Amino acid sequence: MLLASPLHAESANAPALMQPALLGVSVNGQDQGDPVAVIRTTDGGVLIPRAAWAAWRLKNAGLRETIVEGDSYLSLKDIRGVRFRLDDATQTLALTIPPELFGASRLNLAGPALQPMTASGAGGFLNYDVLAERSAGRSSLNAALELGVFAHGGVGLNTMVGGWHDGRMSLVRLATNWTIDDPARRRSLRLGDSISGGGVGGTPVRFGGIQFGSNFAVEPGYITQPLPTIRGSAALPSVVDIYINNNLAGRRDVAPGPFSITDLPVVTGGGDVQLIVRDTLGRETLVTQSYYAAPQLLRAGLSSYSYEVGFLRRDYAVSSNDYGPLMASATHRIGISDALTAEVHAEATRSVQQVGASATIALVGIGAFSASGAASRGPDGTGALAGVAFEHRTPWLSLGATAEYATARYTSVGFARDYRRGALNAQAFVGMPVSFGSVGLSYLRRDSRDQPDIELIGANATVRLPKGALHITARQSLLDRRDTAIQLFFTLPLGQQASASTSVQYQSGQSTLEADIQRNLPVGEGIGYRASVSTGAVRRIDGVLSAQTSTGNYQIEVVNTNGQSGVRVGASGGIGLVGGNVFASRTLSQSFAVVHVGHFKGVRVYVDNQLVGKTNGAGVAVLPRLRPFDRNNIRIELGDLPLDTRVTGGELSVRPYNRSGVLVDFKARRERSATLTVRLEDGTALPDGAAVRVEGTTGDFVSAPGGDLYLSGLRDRNVVSAHWGGKSCSFSLDLPPSREVQPELGQHVCHAETP
C-alpha cells in the first residue's frame, strides 16, 4: 500500500507527494530488473528518479526536474508521449514509452579493427629474375635485380636491370629509395626515386627527391568513399535484417529506441537498402532508402594528398643517373561532404607551371558528375584544359561518358617539349546484365594534333554456358571502314587451377585461330604449364613448363612463330636475411616470414588455410608472400609433430610492414614424460602427497600411494627432488633413447639431503 504522508518538494505549486515505494518497473513490456523507488503525487502523477530514467537509455535533456529531499526526479505526467499504469496489487509500474525518447544507438557494419603492427626484424633480401634466350642463331641474357634492406623504421630498395647482347654487357640502375610507412596516420614518406601523384591536368613523372602523402593501403579494408547510413527505430529489443539490392548483407540486434547503421557494404553505383525490424512480439517494420556510392568521392572531412619535390628523371631504364631540372608538385583532395569532393593540383619547374582543380558530386538516383579545369604556362605560351564526366551505375544498368579538351599550347611538367596533348578526348559506354550474361556498347574519339585521329565504336557480350563462358567483342573505326576487329573467346575451367580456351580473331581482313590449355602454379610448391597453338594470320606454337619450389621459380619455353624457333629459360627467386637467418626463397615481392617449429622437419605450414610449404631439417619454413599491413593467419599442422611436443599454439597471426620480414616462433619442443616408482634409502615408498620438482621447470608434481610418480617436461638428464613433512631427498633421472611417448622407468632411490 502506498502511504500518503507528505514529503518536501523543492518546486513551487507542486502537488503533495506521498512516501516513496519500491515498485517493479516494465518499459514497453520489458521487465527492467531491480525495483525502483518511485513517488506518487496527490494529483495522480508519478515521479521517477532521474538516475533510473537514464539507466533505461531514455533521454532526459530538457525535461523539467523535481528535487525531493536533495534527489532529482522526473514527472511522468510532464513527458509527452509517455503512458503509465500503477498496479497496487502487484506493486508494479508499467510504462509505455515512444521510441524517439530512447537514446540513439549506432551500429557499424565495417569489419573488425586490425591488430597492431608486427615489428620487423632487421634484415634484407636480394631478388633475381634471369632470362636466357636463343633465337635466330643469336643468344641473349637479361636479368633484373632488386636489393632490399629493412628495419622497424622502413625499407630501402635498389633495382637494376642488366644483360648481355651481341657480346656486350650492360647494367642500369632503375630506382633507389627509402620508404617509411606510418599505418597509424595512413601516410608514407619516401626519400629517393619515386613517381609523382599526377593530378588534375597533370601527368605522373619520375623524379628523385622527397615524396610525402597519404597512403590508405597501410590499413587494408579502410573505406575512403562515403557509404550510406540508414536509420530506424524500435519500441522493443529487436532484430534487424539488412538487405542491399534484395541480398541479405547482415543481421544485428538493436536496443529500443532510434538507431543508425553505418558503413553499409554496398557496391559501386546506385541501389536500395532495406531494413526489416522484427521486435520480440514478432511485429515487423520495413524501412527503405536509396543510395549512390561513387569511389571517386571521399568521406566528409577525409583528405588524400601527395607532395613532391626533387629533380626530374630522364632516360629511365636507359641511363642510371640522368636527372633534370628541379620540380615541385602538390595534389590535395578533400571530402567537403559525403556527396561532394574537391581536388586541387599544382606542379612547376623553372620553365613550366600548371594548376588545376576539379569537383565531383553524387546525386542519389542520378549518378556522379565531375568537372575539371587546368591552366598552364610553358615555353610556347599559355594553355588551358577543361573536362566533364558523368557516370550512372546500378545493378541493372551502367552508363557513363567523359570528354576533355585542351588548347594547342597546354602543357604540363610530364610532357616532352615536342609532344602536344590531344585536342579532344571523348568516350562513352553503356552496359547491362541480361538473362544469359551481359552486353555493352562503347564509343571513343581522340582528336590529336600530332597523331592520326581515332573514332571507334565497340560492342561486347558475355554468354554464360553450362560449362565455361563465351566472350564476344567487336570494334569498328568510323574513320576507316576497313579497320574492323571481331574476337570470340571461349574459356572452360578444368578444376581449381587449370583451364582451356580457344579464340577466333578477325582484324582488317585477316583471321587467326588460337587454342591453349594451362595450369596455374599453386600457392605452394608444384608444377604449372601452358601450351598454345595458333594458325591464320599468325602461325605460332608455344609451350611453357614452370616449376615452383621453396627456393625459386623455374621455367622453360619453346616457341615457333611463322617458322622461326626460339627457346627461353628463366629462373627467379630470392635470398633473404632476417633475425640472423639466411635462406633461399621464392621471389620476396611482398612481406615475408621465417617460421620456426623447433627442430622438426616436414611440418606443414599454412597461411590463411592455404598450404605454403613445409619445414626443413632445421625446423624452418619461409613464407614469401604475406599481405603487407594486413592480418595473416599462420597455422602449422599439429598432426605432423610427435605426440610429446609442446607448442605455444597451432595458429599465430602477424601484421607485417611492406617488403619486410618477421620472425614467427611456435616454440615447439619435445616435452617427454614418464612414470616411475620412488623409494627411500631404507626401502620404504616415497610418502603419499610429497611435492616433487624437476630441476629447471616450474610447478610441482605429487607422489601417489606406493611411491608411484608421473613426471613431464623431462630432458635426457634430470635432477629430481622431493619434499614432505620437513624432509627432502633427490635423485638423478636419465631418460634412455625410446620412441615411447610415456615410458615406464621402474624404481629409483631418492637419497636424503643433508640439512
Side-chain angles (χ1 to χ4, degrees):
M1 176 68 66
L2 299 179
L3 302 179
S5 55
L7 292 173
H8 174 64
E10 299 177 11
S11 177
N13 302 317
L17 307 180
M18 304 170 70
Q19 284 289 344
L22 284 175
L23 300 181
V25 179
S26 65
V27 176
N28 294 347
Q30 302 294 308
D31 184 25
Q32 298 305 302
D34 296 334
V36 177
V38 304
I39 299 175
R40 194 170 182 178
T41 65
T42 55
D43 65 351
V46 173
L47 303 184
I48 293 288
R50 181 185 285 270
W53 187 264
W56 300 334
R57 294 182 52 254
L58 294 166
K59 301 176 183 177
N60 56 32
L63 298 181
R64 185 169 60 87
E65 66 178 8
T66 300
I67 304 299
V68 180
E69 297 185 351
D71 293 325
S72 177
Y73 287 79
L74 301 174
S75 174
L76 295 182
K77 292 183 65 175
D78 294 339
I79 305 174
R80 180 176 298 178
V82 173
R83 292 183 289 118
F84 61 92
R85 181 174 57 83
L86 272 169
D87 189 332
D88 290 340
T90 61
Q91 293 290 285
T92 58
L93 172 65
L95 301 178
T96 301
I97 300 176
E100 59 268 17
L101 289 184
F102 287 88
S105 58
R106 182 184 178 94
L107 306 176
N108 193 316
L109 291 191
L114 291 169
Q115 68 184 75
M117 295 296 299
T118 304
S120 302
F125 56 87
L126 173 65
N127 288 324
Y128 61 87
D129 190 348
V130 181
L131 181 65
E133 182 175 359
R134 176 74 177 176
S135 178
R138 303 175 65 179
S139 300
S140 64
L141 178 67
N142 296 284
L145 303 174
E146 181 182 46
L147 177 64
V149 294
F150 54 85
H152 184 67
V155 58
L157 298 174
N158 182 66
T159 54
M160 298 173 289
V161 293
W164 178 80
H165 304 270
D166 299 326
R168 293 183 299 175
M169 296 288 295
S170 64
L171 183 65
V172 178
R173 183 185 67 87
L174 297 180
T176 306
N177 53 55
W178 181 269
T179 302
I180 302 172
D181 294 310
D182 185 358
R185 297 175 177 84
R186 305 183 194 96
R187 64 188 186 185
S188 296
L189 172 67
R190 177 166 293 171
L191 308 175
D193 295 307
S194 189
I195 301 175
S196 69
V200 181
T203 302
V205 296
R206 293 187 179 274
F207 71 99
I210 302 173
Q211 183 179 51
F212 177 72
S214 55
N215 184 359
F216 299 119
V218 299
E219 186 177 328
Y222 181 75
I223 300 171
T224 60
Q225 74 181 66
L227 294 181
T229 295
I230 190 168
R231 294 174 173 83
S233 64
L236 298 173
S238 303
V239 175
V240 177
D241 290 336
I242 304 108
Y243 287 84
I244 299 176
N245 297 325
N246 296 321
N247 295 311
L248 182 63
R251 175 172 292 168
R252 293 292 187 273
D253 294 325
V254 296
F259 62 85
S260 61
I261 301 178
T262 63
D263 287 343
L264 294 166
V266 300
V267 297
T268 297
D272 295 313
V273 178
Q274 290 182 325
L275 300 184
I276 298 179
V277 185
R278 186 178 299 106
D279 66 21
T280 53
L281 300 180
R283 296 175 299 193
E284 291 187 355
T285 303
L286 176 65
V287 180
T288 301
Q289 178 177 306
S290 298
Y291 70 88
Y292 194 89
Q296 308 96 309
L297 297 177
L298 293 176
R299 289 174 180 257
L302 182 63
S303 293
S304 172
Y305 53 89
S306 181
Y307 304 109
E308 301 95 5
V309 61
F311 297 93
L312 288 174
R313 186 76 182 269
R314 298 184 298 202
D315 293 329
Y316 179 79
V318 177
S319 175
S320 297
N321 300 291
D322 189 355
Y323 292 90
L326 181 68
M327 62 81 67
S329 175
T331 305
H332 199 106
R333 299 177 66 229
I334 185 170
I336 298 174
S337 69
D338 278 351
L340 177 63
T341 295
E343 176 181 336
V344 292
H345 171 75
E347 59 187 31
T349 64
R350 184 175 181 179
S351 59
V352 175
Q353 300 85 44
Q354 182 264 348
V355 294
S358 71
T360 301
I361 186 170
L363 302 176
V364 175
I366 299 177
F369 295 88
S370 297
S372 60
S376 70
R377 186 178 69 177
D380 297 329
T382 60
L385 174 143
V388 293
F390 168 73
E391 177 185 274
H392 172 84
R393 295 181 185 272
T394 68
W396 312 276
L397 176 68
S398 296
L399 58 89
T402 63
E404 181 184 87
Y405 177 81
T407 64
R409 292 184 175 85
Y410 180 80
T411 187
S412 68
V413 169
F415 288 177
R417 176 68 185 276
D418 56 354
Y419 173 83
R420 295 185 183 276
R421 195 157 185 149
L424 175 65
N425 287 318
Q427 54 184 325
F429 71 90
V430 60
M432 61 184 298
V434 291
S435 59
F436 57 80
S438 63
V439 294
L441 297 172
S442 63
Y443 170 81
L444 171 65
R445 176 174 175 177
R446 182 174 299 158
D447 295 344
S448 178
R449 296 186 174 88
D450 303 312
Q451 303 291 332
D453 294 344
I454 297 173
E455 189 172 14
L456 304 170
I457 58 171
N460 63 83
T462 297
V463 181
R464 292 190 300 269
L465 301 174
K467 291 185 178 180
L470 177 64
H471 308 274
I472 306 170
T473 61
R475 187 199 72 206
Q476 174 64 57
S477 171
L478 299 180
L479 302 179
D480 183 356
R481 298 297 180 183
R482 297 170 299 177
D483 186 2
T484 302
I486 302 173
Q487 182 184 45
L488 282 74
F489 185 79
F490 172 73
T491 58
L492 177 66
L494 301 174
Q496 292 185 344
Q497 293 179 261
S499 65
S501 64
T502 183
S503 66
V504 178
Q505 302 177 50
Y506 172 85
Q507 184 170 1
S508 301
Q510 294 185 316
S511 300
T512 301
L513 174 64
E514 181 176 349
D516 70 73
I517 184 171
Q518 68 176 32
R519 183 180 189 273
N520 298 325
L521 286 169
V523 176
E525 300 181 24
I527 299 295
Y529 58 81
R530 178 175 57 83
S532 64
V533 58
S534 63
T535 185
V538 177
R539 292 178 292 108
R540 178 186 177 94
I541 300 176
D542 186 5
V544 180
L545 179 64
S546 303
Q548 182 164 267
T549 71
S550 61
T551 58
N553 287 13
Y554 312 93
Q555 72 173 36
I556 181 170
E557 179 179 9
V558 179
V559 59
N560 183 288
T561 304
N562 295 330
Q564 186 71 44
S565 298
V567 61
R568 300 186 184 96
V569 179
S572 63
I575 300 172
L577 167 66
V578 58
N581 298 271
V582 180
F583 56 89
S585 168
R586 300 197 288 272
T587 301
L588 300 171
S589 57
Q590 296 175 246
S591 305
F592 60 93
V594 175
V595 176
H596 289 268
V597 189
H599 293 279
F600 300 102
K601 180 181 180 180
V603 179
R604 286 169 286 178
V605 182
Y606 298 80
V607 177
D608 296 328
N609 292 322
Q610 297 249 8
L611 178 62
V612 177
K614 298 180 180 180
T615 56
N616 59 21
V620 174
V622 179
L623 312 181
R625 294 179 183 174
L626 299 185
R627 298 183 306 279
F629 307 111
D630 204 357
R631 179 189 180 99
N632 296 263
N633 296 311
I634 301 172
R635 176 174 65 87
I636 60 174
E637 185 59 64
L638 296 177
D640 294 340
L641 295 169
L643 293 177
D644 57 356
T645 303
R646 172 174 289 187
V647 297
T648 56
E651 183 170 333
L652 299 173
S653 62
V654 296
R655 186 185 173 201
Y657 283 89
N658 189 35
R659 305 302 302 274
S660 299
V662 296
L663 294 174
V664 180
D665 191 352
F666 283 90
K667 300 186 184 303
R669 58 186 177 89
R670 298 196 70 173
E671 189 176 84
R672 301 182 65 184
S673 59
T675 58
L676 63 154
T677 302
V678 181
R679 299 200 173 273
L680 303 181
E681 291 177 305
D682 60 3
T684 61
L686 181 69
D688 179 13
V692 181
R693 176 168 294 185
V694 178
E695 187 178 77
T697 66
T698 59
D700 292 335
F701 300 89
V702 179
S703 61
D708 290 339
L709 188 62
Y710 165 82
L711 299 176
S712 64
L714 298 174
R715 295 167 296 197
D716 292 340
R717 292 194 151 189
N718 308 271
V719 175
V720 183
S721 60
H723 305 270
W724 72 98
K727 299 180 181 181
S728 61
C729 65
S730 63
F731 62 96
S732 297
L733 180 65
D734 295 341
L735 289 181
S738 173
R739 292 184 177 271
E740 292 185 69
V741 175
Q742 185 179 301
E744 166 58 51
L745 301 182
Q747 291 192 6
H748 286 72
V749 177
C750 193
H751 302 282
E753 295 182 346
T754 303

